[in-house]
Amino acid sequence: MRAVRCNEHGLPATLAIETLPDLHPEAGELVIDVKAASVNFPDVLIIQNKYQFKPPLPFTPGAEFAGVVRAVGAGVAGFAPGMRVAAYTAHGAFAEQARVNAADVIALPDNLDFSAAAAFMLAYGTSYHALVDRGALQPGDTLLVLGAAGGVGLAAIQIGKLVGARVIAAASSVEKLAFCREHGADEVIDYAHEDLRERIKTLTGGNGPDVIFDPVGGAYAEPAFRSIGWRGRYLVVGFANGEIPKLPLNLALLKGASVVGVFWGHHMKHEHALAEQEFAALIEWIKTGKLRPVITKRYTLDQTPQALDDMMNRRVTGKIVIEM
């Protein structure tokens, strides 16, 4: 089988495409023929040794994928060769075959194609967990999404609207904000050219948002947090900007606000039963046509380094996938 390999830590151009032996499952595992794999910002970090999880070299990057079960290991129930599935794995998805724990695999509905399935586990799982579980988002709440044109940002817009929130999308260009409006945002903020705090104040009548979804970090975190409403929930989803902000915690006291961490990977590990319930809710939305992951660009396996470079340099919006 062919696979993308990270033989040394570095930028996407250092990755290689290699031919490796076919995979075989251990007990409790599945081997899956990968049909599509999604590209996420942590993939850019992990190949540079900048992510929380640090696999030993050499390794194959890629955290989520969809495909067809090839082989089933001892002790695995509920899966059989030929089944259509999606899976989350910390690494290993950018390859023609992937080996994964059966607990990290879900069966797919027939009306969800492989590319869309590959694109929903991490981004939509993270956003649902963040907004519904950690953020307690309610109908009628105002939700502010930073980095709204990215994969998790777009998922947060879609899920926020399905919950019944009023969604304000913040991004860095007119084109990105038009993309956010196209997919459900009620209001938008161009934080590259507008004063973020003043615009939030105007759009919320001075009350501030109930929930702030922040996968970016960096310079916009503090003004957003200073704008949060009474009993607001600030969801710390990630640091795509590369800078971990120092939030003024006295504001948490003055506004009765909460700073809430969101780490979907550990949620999957430590609260697997709850994560399965969340996926069931997402799958039901997909089955009924209420939710559809948005794929904005598709690459081949050989183009994986370019896909990661495009992600790193923010040349793409929404979700991008590698198709085998």
Side-chain angles (χ1 to χ4, degrees), residues 248-306:
L249 293 182
N250 62 305
L251 292 176
L253 183 153
L254 293 172
K255 296 194 174 189
S258 303
V259 179
V260 184
V262 179
F263 192 173
W264 184 79
H266 277 196
H267 170 58
M268 283 280 290
K269 179 180 179 181
H270 296 295
E271 302 170 326
H272 193 77
L274 177 57
E276 286 187 329
Q277 294 175 26
E278 293 168 352
F279 275 124
L282 288 168
I283 289 291
E284 185 61 27
W285 277 342
I286 290 170
K287 284 181 177 178
T288 57
K290 295 179 179 179
L291 179 67
R292 178 64 56 173
V294 179
I295 309 299
T296 55
K297 195 165 183 179
R298 303 163 192 264
Y299 300 78
T300 66
L301 184 65
D302 291 308
Q303 294 172 320
T304 301
Q306 183 62 57

Side-chain angles (χ1 to χ4, degrees), residues 7 27 47 71 125 128 143 149 158-159 184 205 245 253 313 316 322:
N7 295 308
I47 64 172
Y128 188 98
L143 166 66
Q158 292 177 291
I159 292 169
L253 183 153
N313 289 291
V316 290
I322 309 298

Side-chain angles (χ1 to χ4, degrees), residues 53-143:
F53 177 77
K54 301 179 186 297
L57 295 169
F59 67 92
T60 294
E64 62 177 340
F65 63 94
V68 176
V69 175
R70 180 185 182 92
V72 178
V76 174
F79 295 99
M83 286 185 63
R84 301 172 74 253
V85 295
Y88 171 80
T89 180
H91 60 94
F94 298 156
E96 292 176 337
Q97 297 173 17
R99 194 175 73 186
V100 63
N101 290 327
D104 298 326
V105 181
I106 60 171
L108 293 177
D110 291 338
N111 68 337
L112 187 62
D113 65 70
F114 288 119
S115 291
F120 99 93
M121 287 197 74
L122 197 154
Y124 288 82
T126 294
S127 297
Y128 188 98
H129 169 57
L131 296 175
V132 177
D133 179 15
R134 304 293 285 153
L137 187 68
Q138 300 295 316
D141 279 352
T142 295
L143 166 66

Side-chain angles (χ1 to χ4, degrees), residues 149-150 176 296-297 299 307 310-311 313-318 320:
K176 289 180 179 180
T296 55
K297 195 165 183 179
Y299 300 78
D310 288 345
M311 172 72 71
N313 289 291
R314 296 176 175 82
R315 300 189 191 101
V316 290
T317 55
I320 62 176

